[in-house]
Amino acid sequence: ETPGGNKKYTKASKKDFVDTANHVSEMSKVAEMLKDKTHDERFEWIQTVKNEGNVFYKNKQYGQALDKYLQALYGLDFKDQSIELEHKVNFELKVPILNNMAICLLKVKDYRKVVAMTDQVLLIDPDNFKALLRRANAFIELGRMSESKDILNKARKFAKTPEDNKSVSEVTSLYEK
């Protein structure tokens, strides 16, 4: 047993340390580049980088798309933001970027990270249809069927279009296999 309870900790690999160092370095570069930008300029830069990620995603270049989405997330540190700006940043930038990351992670079969991304979305927007669907899909792939079923039932309530209903049916068919 560990000091925090029964949770087991795995030893970090050299790659984990290198990845963390690279993230810190990239975050610093983005912060430096954006430090003198206005909120509007920062918002526009993040949208542009997110859209670059979308191009990579459409070309099935999921690793490059994830890099762009991560870079966009690094720019989300708005100083002195009002409640209105925080809401705008969360719903117009953070949630879509995290959802885009989740779909990329589904495509590369990194299901635990899909769960982590959707955790972040659902903290902001507990009824987010895309996050619920992606989370259910990840849970199916992780063999967590009862959790997946509960999430699919919730997602079904928030399906707004015939396409949404079709998406729920497609993920439900994975569950039934």
Side-chain angles (χ1 to χ4, degrees), residues 69-134:
Y69 297 141
L70 195 56
Q71 186 180 26
L73 280 181
Y74 293 152
L76 288 178
D77 186 20
F78 285 76
K79 302 290 184 225
D80 305 320
Q81 66 183 3
S82 64
I83 292 171
E84 293 82 19
L85 180 59
E86 182 180 0
H87 185 271
K88 181 178 178 177
V89 167
N90 280 340
F91 284 88
E92 292 181 29
L93 295 174
K94 192 172 190 177
V95 164
I97 291 166
L98 291 168
N99 262 327
N100 289 355
M101 291 178 79
I103 193 67
C104 286
L105 291 162
L106 264 177
K107 297 289 186 182
V108 299
K109 302 179 186 314
D110 195 340
Y111 305 117
R112 284 180 177 73
K113 285 185 182 172
V114 173
V115 172
M117 290 300 119
T118 58
D119 278 345
Q120 296 304 306
V121 172
L122 297 170
L123 283 172
I124 297 166
D125 183 4
D127 302 329
N128 187 281
F129 177 76
K130 287 181 177 180
L132 291 168
L133 207 57
R134 291 166 186 166

Side-chain angles (χ1 to χ4, degrees), residues 2-177:
T2 61
N6 290 329
K7 187 171 181 176
K8 301 287 184 215
Y9 296 93
T10 56
K11 184 177 176 188
S13 68
K14 182 177 179 183
K15 181 187 179 310
D16 293 332
F17 286 116
V18 170
D19 286 348
T20 299
N22 288 341
H23 288 302
V24 170
S25 173
E26 185 65 28
M27 204 180 317
S28 296
K29 286 179 197 170
V30 170
E32 180 64 26
M33 184 181 59
L34 296 177
K35 73 177 183 185
D36 296 325
K37 303 279 187 201
T38 66
H39 288 316
D40 288 342
E41 290 169 333
R42 182 182 284 259
F43 199 92
E44 186 177 319
W45 180 86
I46 294 165
Q47 281 284 31
T48 299
V49 174
K50 177 177 104 31
N51 291 338
E52 290 170 4
N54 293 348
V55 171
F56 282 120
Y57 175 80
K58 286 176 186 157
N59 291 321
K60 299 182 181 190
Q61 296 171 295
Y62 305 120
Q64 291 95 324
L66 280 165
D67 289 343
K68 284 294 180 182
Y69 297 141
L70 195 56
Q71 186 180 26
L73 280 181
Y74 293 152
L76 288 178
D77 186 20
F78 285 76
K79 302 290 184 225
D80 305 320
Q81 66 183 3
S82 64
I83 292 171
E84 293 82 19
L85 180 59
E86 182 180 0
H87 185 271
K88 181 178 178 177
V89 167
N90 280 340
F91 284 88
E92 292 181 29
L93 295 174
K94 192 172 190 177
V95 164
I97 291 166
L98 291 168
N99 262 327
N100 289 355
M101 291 178 79
I103 193 67
C104 286
L105 291 162
L106 264 177
K107 297 289 186 182
V108 299
K109 302 179 186 314
D110 195 340
Y111 305 117
R112 284 180 177 73
K113 285 185 182 172
V114 173
V115 172
M117 290 300 119
T118 58
D119 278 345
Q120 296 304 306
V121 172
L122 297 170
L123 283 172
I124 297 166
D125 183 4
D127 302 329
N128 187 281
F129 177 76
K130 287 181 177 180
L132 291 168
L133 207 57
R134 291 166 186 166
R135 186 177 188 81
N137 196 334
F139 279 156
I140 288 168
E141 297 297 340
L142 292 168
R144 295 166 63 179
M145 298 308 190
S146 65
E147 289 164 292
S148 179
K149 185 177 181 182
D150 293 343
I151 294 166
L152 281 170
N153 287 333
K154 184 174 181 180
R156 194 171 282 113
K157 293 177 192 170
F158 298 106
K160 295 176 183 150
T161 66
E163 188 174 300
D164 288 350
N165 286 318
K166 182 180 177 202
S167 296
V168 171
S169 295
E170 287 170 357
V171 175
T172 301
S173 73
L174 294 174
Y175 175 83
E176 293 167 348
K177 285 183 179 177

